[in-house]
Amino acid sequence: MESLASFLYVIETLPLWQKALYVGSCLLLFVLLENLASAQQFIVDEHYSRTRHILKNLLFLLFSLLINSAFAALFIAGSSWSEQAGFGLYSHFYSHFAVNPALPMASISAIPAIIQLLISLVLLDFIAQYLCHVGLHKIPWLWRLHTVHHNDFHVDLSTGSRHHPIDYCTRELAALACVIMLAMPISHYLLYKLLSVFFTYFTHANILLPRWIERPLSLIFVTPNMHKVHHHQYLPFTDSNYGNILSIWDRLFGTLMQREITEIEYGVDTDLAEQELAIGYQLQRPFMAKQQR
């Protein structure tokens, strides 16, 4: 467990430049993979240039980084308060056994550090991503924010960064609730964020995995083939495949749908292609006239 503690300490103390290097490395990796194994060849015209498309979408990444910076203090304070107040699950569990010395010592380690970490990662994926994502589709005013993510007619790795700032804040608030609910060490949340960055670019990347890789992998994890169905322009496909990292939630709750990637039409059918990369329009879009489903 010392090695795990050391690993989590490294995660918790990563300097900003190393986090930025990690994000940049993930971006570069999937840009290269898209060049090698593209799932779809988008037609280059006056409305689409791959380079411009990626750069415009990455402007949303800057908003997300600013939001992350603003939320950092909240996550640290929430984790600390929940632990000290005995509010979170982990702190309650250990304080419970601390006042019951008659219980066998084996019970004290009933939730070892590695299990705590796995619980944290799984609950973050379920609550802060899957459930929150379902809410973004089912609650009308949240859907209006979330359409910015879906209003991309050329889904590629950069679409993973394309979130309205308020949409992104909603996910961060859900993650903060998980941190407080568990008295989660901040390193657990940071590790999930790092994993989520990789999977975000992986699942949105315009790549086609061989079936012998994609099928067994999709039994546990979200794959590009699965997530592309979620970006289909038409219902009921749009309201399916909500998972972020784990695909088990869609399987458990019956929200998994399948479709050949070549049959998927991207975007939101109430918008025009030229509005796709208009940043000002996308930021204002949720507050315009009521959006259609």
Side-chain angles (χ1 to χ4, degrees), residues 150-208:
H150 280 265
N151 186 26
D152 193 334
F153 292 81
H154 307 89
V155 174
D156 62 16
L157 79 155
S158 68
T159 309
S161 295
R162 184 189 173 103
H163 296 285
H164 193 281
I166 303 177
D167 176 336
Y168 192 82
C169 284
T170 302
R171 297 170 187 263
E172 290 299 281
L173 287 171
L176 179 60
C178 284
V179 169
I180 293 174
M181 180 176 66
L182 293 179
M184 184 187 299
I186 199 68
S187 58
H188 292 192
Y189 164 74
L190 293 174
L191 177 59
Y192 182 80
K193 289 289 287 185
L194 293 175
L195 293 171
S196 187
V197 166
F198 176 86
F199 271 89
T200 291
Y201 295 131
F202 170 59
T203 57
H204 288 90
N206 181 31
I207 57 177
L208 186 62

XYZ file of all heavy atoms in Angstrom, residues 150-208:
480
model
N -23.378 18.790 -28.553
C -23.937 17.964 -29.620
C -23.998 18.685 -30.957
O -24.137 18.037 -31.995
C -25.337 17.477 -29.228
C -25.320 16.307 -28.313
N -25.427 15.000 -28.745
C -25.171 16.230 -26.964
C -25.364 14.177 -27.717
N -25.210 14.904 -26.613
N -23.898 19.995 -30.943
C -23.991 20.747 -32.191
C -22.636 20.771 -32.897
O -22.067 21.818 -33.187
C -24.478 22.177 -31.910
C -24.722 22.944 -33.191
O -24.991 22.357 -34.236
N -24.605 24.251 -33.121
N -22.132 19.587 -33.154
C -20.870 19.429 -33.872
C -21.129 18.438 -35.003
O -21.429 17.270 -34.751
C -19.776 18.903 -32.928
C -18.386 19.030 -33.526
O -18.285 19.037 -34.774
O -17.407 19.118 -32.770
N -21.035 18.934 -36.220
C -21.354 18.113 -37.383
C -20.174 17.244 -37.831
O -20.307 16.465 -38.765
C -21.804 19.006 -38.549
C -23.127 19.684 -38.316
C -23.212 20.835 -37.547
C -24.296 19.168 -38.850
C -24.425 21.470 -37.333
C -25.516 19.791 -38.631
C -25.583 20.945 -37.866
N -19.024 17.415 -37.165
C -17.811 16.685 -37.549
C -17.133 16.187 -36.272
O -16.130 16.738 -35.836
C -16.866 17.581 -38.346
C -17.503 18.248 -39.519
N -18.125 19.480 -39.421
C -17.642 17.838 -40.810
C -18.606 19.818 -40.605
N -18.326 18.843 -41.468
N -17.691 15.162 -35.658
C -17.215 14.698 -34.354
C -15.820 14.101 -34.495
O -15.593 13.168 -35.265
C -18.189 13.671 -33.747
C -17.613 13.074 -32.462
C -19.538 14.329 -33.469
N -14.900 14.666 -33.732
C -13.535 14.138 -33.660
C -13.024 14.351 -32.242
O -13.795 14.711 -31.342
C -12.621 14.778 -34.707
C -12.456 16.281 -34.534
O -12.784 16.817 -33.445
O -11.986 16.937 -35.474
N -11.736 14.117 -32.024
C -11.196 14.200 -30.670
C -11.503 15.537 -30.004
O -11.755 15.605 -28.799
C -9.685 13.973 -30.680
C -8.793 15.158 -31.107
C -7.408 15.016 -30.510
C -8.708 15.287 -32.609
N -11.500 16.634 -30.773
C -11.697 17.966 -30.193
C -13.114 18.169 -29.675
O -13.351 19.030 -28.822
C -11.355 19.050 -31.215
O -12.282 19.061 -32.289
N -14.071 17.362 -30.155
C -15.451 17.466 -29.666
C -15.511 17.161 -28.173
O -16.389 17.657 -27.465
C -16.365 16.500 -30.444
O -16.173 16.691 -31.843
C -17.829 16.731 -30.097
N -14.567 16.357 -27.690
C -14.531 16.042 -26.259
C -14.328 17.250 -25.384
O -14.698 17.246 -24.196
N -13.738 18.312 -25.921
C -13.509 19.544 -25.150
C -14.628 20.554 -25.321
O -14.615 21.602 -24.675
C -12.191 20.201 -25.590
O -11.094 19.385 -25.274
N -15.572 20.247 -26.172
C -16.600 21.206 -26.569
C -17.786 21.166 -25.591
O -18.764 20.440 -25.784
C -17.056 20.887 -27.999
C -18.067 21.847 -28.592
C -18.556 21.264 -29.906
N -19.639 22.040 -30.474
C -19.503 22.888 -31.488
N -18.334 23.048 -32.070
N -20.543 23.556 -31.950
N -17.694 21.935 -24.528
C -18.767 22.005 -23.533
C -19.025 23.468 -23.175
O -18.075 24.237 -22.956
C -18.389 21.253 -22.249
C -18.196 19.784 -22.451
N -19.253 18.911 -22.621
C -17.068 19.030 -22.517
C -18.783 17.686 -22.783
N -17.465 17.733 -22.727
N -20.295 23.822 -23.121
C -20.631 25.162 -22.637
C -20.119 25.285 -21.205
O -20.203 24.335 -20.421
C -22.147 25.369 -22.673
C -22.555 26.794 -22.487
N -22.592 27.384 -21.237
C -22.905 27.761 -23.388
C -22.985 28.644 -21.372
N -23.167 28.907 -22.667
N -19.560 26.442 -20.821
C -19.007 26.589 -19.464
C -19.984 26.212 -18.346
O -19.571 25.616 -17.349
C -18.629 28.072 -19.402
C -18.340 28.441 -20.821
C -19.302 27.640 -21.654
N -21.269 26.528 -18.503
C -22.234 26.203 -17.447
C -22.506 24.700 -17.432
O -22.690 24.096 -16.369
C -23.538 27.005 -17.609
C -23.234 28.499 -17.617
C -24.520 26.680 -16.482
C -24.445 29.379 -17.843
N -22.515 24.081 -18.600
C -22.621 22.625 -18.693
C -21.456 21.988 -17.936
O -21.646 21.075 -17.114
C -22.585 22.241 -20.180
C -22.587 20.729 -20.442
O -22.176 19.953 -19.555
O -22.971 20.319 -21.547
N -20.258 22.483 -18.159
C -19.076 21.935 -17.496
C -19.161 22.135 -15.986
O -18.789 21.249 -15.205
C -17.819 22.590 -18.063
C -16.538 21.900 -17.665
C -16.101 20.772 -18.346
C -15.766 22.360 -16.597
C -14.933 20.122 -17.987
C -14.601 21.721 -16.227
C -14.184 20.603 -16.923
O -13.033 19.966 -16.554
N -19.657 23.295 -15.553
C -19.818 23.559 -14.115
C -20.785 22.563 -13.483
O -20.592 22.146 -12.335
C -20.332 24.980 -13.891
S -19.090 26.270 -14.115
N -21.823 22.188 -14.214
C -22.792 21.215 -13.701
C -22.117 19.889 -13.377
O -22.351 19.284 -12.320
C -23.907 20.991 -14.740
O -24.543 22.233 -15.032
C -24.937 20.001 -14.217
N -21.239 19.436 -14.263
C -20.521 18.190 -14.023
C -19.573 18.321 -12.834
O -19.423 17.395 -12.035
C -19.726 17.803 -15.277
C -20.599 17.517 -16.487
C -19.737 17.398 -17.733
N -20.522 17.293 -18.936
C -20.829 16.136 -19.537
N -20.433 14.997 -19.012
N -21.542 16.129 -20.638
N -18.921 19.474 -12.721
C -17.992 19.673 -11.615
C -18.726 19.728 -10.274
O -18.226 19.236 -9.264
C -17.183 20.961 -11.828
C -16.178 20.878 -12.960
C -15.140 19.796 -12.721
O -14.193 20.035 -11.946
O -15.297 18.692 -13.297
N -19.921 20.304 -10.265
C -20.710 20.329 -9.033
C -21.122 18.913 -8.633
O -21.139 18.578 -7.440
C -21.946 21.214 -9.219
C -21.681 22.719 -9.260
C -22.944 23.470 -9.675
C -21.188 23.220 -7.901
N -21.452 18.075 -9.617
C -21.795 16.683 -9.324
C -20.581 15.938 -8.761
O -20.696 15.143 -7.824
C -22.305 15.994 -10.587
N -19.393 16.226 -9.317
C -18.166 15.607 -8.805
C -17.867 16.088 -7.393
O -17.443 15.305 -6.531
C -16.993 15.919 -9.734
N -18.106 17.368 -7.142
C -17.892 17.913 -5.805
C -18.799 17.240 -4.788
O -18.381 16.952 -3.654
C -18.142 19.431 -5.819
C -17.980 20.169 -4.490
C -16.558 20.020 -3.948
C -18.339 21.651 -4.655
N -20.031 16.956 -5.181
C -20.967 16.251 -4.289
C -20.421 14.866 -3.940
O -20.532 14.417 -2.793
C -22.336 16.143 -4.951
N -19.800 14.193 -4.915
C -19.202 12.871 -4.650
C -18.048 12.985 -3.667
O -17.913 12.161 -2.755
C -18.682 12.268 -5.950
S -19.941 11.603 -7.016
N -17.212 13.992 -3.864
C -16.064 14.189 -2.981
C -16.523 14.393 -1.538
O -15.993 13.790 -0.600
C -15.225 15.392 -3.459
C -14.185 15.782 -2.417
C -14.527 15.061 -4.778
N -17.539 15.208 -1.345
C -18.046 15.497 0.003
C -18.764 14.274 0.578
O -18.602 13.932 1.757
C -18.986 16.710 -0.037
C -18.186 17.968 -0.395
C -19.696 16.897 1.307
C -19.038 19.206 -0.608
N -19.520 13.581 -0.252
C -20.294 12.414 0.192
C -19.392 11.311 0.731
O -19.750 10.609 1.678
C -21.135 11.895 -0.964
C -21.993 10.685 -0.646
S -23.030 10.222 -2.046
C -21.795 9.706 -3.229
N -18.208 11.187 0.133
C -17.294 10.125 0.545
C -16.188 10.599 1.481
O -15.485 9.769 2.051
C -16.633 9.499 -0.690
C -17.526 8.718 -1.643
C -16.706 8.200 -2.809
C -18.216 7.574 -0.938
N -16.020 11.913 1.645
C -14.802 12.456 2.250
C -13.608 11.950 1.432
O -12.611 11.465 1.949
C -14.654 12.053 3.725
N -13.769 12.072 0.121
C -12.825 11.512 -0.830
C -11.508 12.274 -0.818
O -11.504 13.505 -0.889
C -13.434 11.580 -2.244
C -12.602 10.937 -3.335
S -13.317 11.267 -4.980
C -14.936 10.501 -4.813
N -10.388 11.574 -0.716
C -9.102 12.248 -0.863
C -9.037 12.955 -2.217
O -9.493 12.415 -3.228
C -8.080 11.114 -0.781
C -8.785 10.030 -0.033
C -10.230 10.135 -0.425
N -8.487 14.141 -2.236
C -8.464 14.924 -3.469
C -7.689 14.204 -4.559
O -7.954 14.377 -5.751
C -7.886 16.333 -3.191
C -8.291 17.299 -4.319
C -6.394 16.293 -2.995
C -9.765 17.600 -4.353
N -6.740 13.342 -4.168
C -5.960 12.593 -5.161
C -6.841 11.641 -5.959
O -6.586 11.388 -7.140
C -4.836 11.812 -4.478
O -5.359 10.933 -3.506
N -7.909 11.103 -5.336
C -8.819 10.211 -6.047
C -9.530 10.970 -7.170
O -9.649 10.475 -8.302
C -9.870 9.630 -5.099
C -9.307 8.679 -4.088
N -10.115 7.872 -3.306
C -8.034 8.403 -3.720
C -9.357 7.140 -2.506
N -8.087 7.463 -2.740
N -10.004 12.158 -6.835
C -10.685 12.986 -7.826
C -9.732 13.380 -8.953
O -10.093 13.308 -10.139
C -11.250 14.239 -7.157
C -11.621 15.333 -8.136
C -12.758 15.231 -8.924
C -10.821 16.464 -8.278
C -13.088 16.219 -9.823
C -11.149 17.455 -9.175
C -12.279 17.332 -9.949
O -12.600 18.307 -10.852
N -8.510 13.757 -8.613
C -7.544 14.165 -9.638
C -7.183 12.999 -10.558
O -7.027 13.188 -11.768
C -6.285 14.728 -8.973
C -6.471 16.052 -8.226
C -5.199 16.433 -7.482
C -6.882 17.167 -9.193
N -7.056 11.801 -9.994
C -6.769 10.635 -10.821
C -7.925 10.381 -11.783
O -7.705 10.085 -12.969
C -6.525 9.400 -9.946
C -6.285 8.087 -10.709
C -5.071 8.207 -11.626
C -6.100 6.925 -9.737
N -9.160 10.498 -11.281
C -10.304 10.306 -12.176
C -10.295 11.335 -13.302
O -10.590 11.020 -14.457
C -11.629 10.386 -11.416
C -12.807 10.145 -12.329
C -13.158 8.844 -12.687
C -13.519 11.200 -12.882
C -14.212 8.606 -13.563
C -14.564 10.973 -13.762
C -14.905 9.680 -14.101
O -15.925 9.439 -14.987
N -9.955 12.573 -12.981
C -9.899 13.614 -14.003
C -8.882 13.266 -15.079
O -9.139 13.463 -16.278
C -9.550 14.960 -13.367
C -10.646 15.560 -12.518
C -11.809 16.064 -13.358
C -11.472 17.323 -14.096
N -12.669 17.868 -14.814
N -7.731 12.757 -14.674
C -6.703 12.384 -15.642
C -7.186 11.233 -16.531
O -6.992 11.249 -17.753
C -5.408 11.990 -14.930
C -4.675 13.122 -14.187
C -3.471 12.572 -13.433
C -4.246 14.218 -15.160
N -7.825 10.235 -15.920
C -8.379 9.133 -16.703
C -9.476 9.632 -17.642
O -9.579 9.196 -18.798
C -8.946 8.054 -15.779
C -7.935 7.281 -14.925
C -8.660 6.402 -13.916
C -7.019 6.436 -15.809
N -10.283 10.554 -17.146
C -11.392 11.080 -17.930
C -10.898 11.861 -19.141
O -11.513 11.819 -20.214
C -12.276 11.972 -17.049
O -13.447 12.359 -17.740
N -9.788 12.584 -18.990
C -9.212 13.309 -20.128
C -8.866 12.333 -21.249
O -9.213 12.553 -22.421
C -7.956 14.094 -19.692
C -7.157 14.563 -20.905
C -8.343 15.298 -18.840
N -8.192 11.239 -20.887
C -7.822 10.244 -21.893
C -9.064 9.678 -22.569
O -9.142 9.602 -23.807
C -7.011 9.118 -21.249
C -6.671 8.003 -22.200
C -5.540 8.077 -22.997
C -7.500 6.884 -22.311
C -5.239 7.054 -23.891
C -7.206 5.865 -23.204
C -6.077 5.955 -24.000
N -10.058 9.262 -21.780
C -11.239 8.633 -22.355
C -12.082 9.620 -23.154
O -12.733 9.243 -24.133
C -12.077 7.960 -21.263
C -11.662 6.540 -21.008
C -10.674 6.249 -20.083
C -12.235 5.492 -21.707
C -10.270 4.946 -19.850
C -11.848 4.177 -21.488
C -10.861 3.907 -20.560
N -12.088 10.878 -22.754
C -12.835 11.885 -23.504
C -12.314 11.999 -24.925
O -13.096 11.998 -25.888
C -12.734 13.247 -22.796
O -13.458 13.196 -21.560
C -13.326 14.353 -23.660
N -11.007 12.077 -25.073
C -10.438 12.187 -26.415
C -10.498 10.854 -27.153
O -10.677 10.822 -28.377
C -9.009 12.719 -26.334
C -8.949 14.139 -25.809
C -8.086 14.504 -24.786
C -9.794 15.115 -26.329
C -8.058 15.802 -24.302
C -9.786 16.408 -25.843
C -8.910 16.750 -24.825
O -8.898 18.034 -24.353
N -10.368 9.771 -26.427
C -10.451 8.438 -27.031
C -11.835 8.176 -27.610
O -11.984 7.759 -28.765
C -10.096 7.387 -25.977
C -10.359 5.965 -26.388
C -9.757 5.419 -27.513
C -11.203 5.155 -25.633
C -9.994 4.099 -27.891
C -11.440 3.837 -26.000
C -10.837 3.307 -27.139
N -12.882 8.423 -26.825
C -14.238 8.073 -27.266
C -14.774 9.021 -28.336
O -15.681 8.648 -29.088
C -15.217 8.044 -26.071
O -15.206 9.314 -25.406
C -14.821 6.955 -25.086
N -14.256 10.244 -28.397
C -14.706 11.179 -29.426
C -13.829 11.129 -30.678
O -14.232 11.655 -31.725
C -14.724 12.611 -28.882
C -15.822 12.876 -27.910
N -15.661 12.687 -26.551
C -17.106 13.293 -28.089
C -16.798 12.993 -25.946
N -17.691 13.350 -26.843
N -12.660 10.535 -30.588
C -11.735 10.524 -31.718
C -12.363 9.855 -32.944
O -13.096 8.867 -32.832
C -10.444 9.803 -31.332
N -12.076 10.415 -34.083
C -12.589 9.894 -35.348
C -11.728 8.709 -35.794
O -10.999 8.775 -36.783
C -12.590 11.001 -36.410
C -13.138 10.529 -37.739
O -13.998 9.651 -37.787
N -12.633 11.100 -38.824
N -11.814 7.640 -35.017
C -11.036 6.434 -35.300
C -11.964 5.227 -35.305
O -13.011 5.228 -34.647
C -9.901 6.213 -34.276
C -10.455 6.140 -32.852
C -8.840 7.293 -34.398
C -9.404 5.844 -31.782
N -11.576 4.223 -36.050
C -12.359 2.993 -36.137
C -11.517 1.847 -35.603
O -10.509 1.471 -36.191
C -12.755 2.718 -37.587
C -13.694 1.533 -37.824
C -15.037 1.762 -37.116
C -13.903 1.317 -39.314
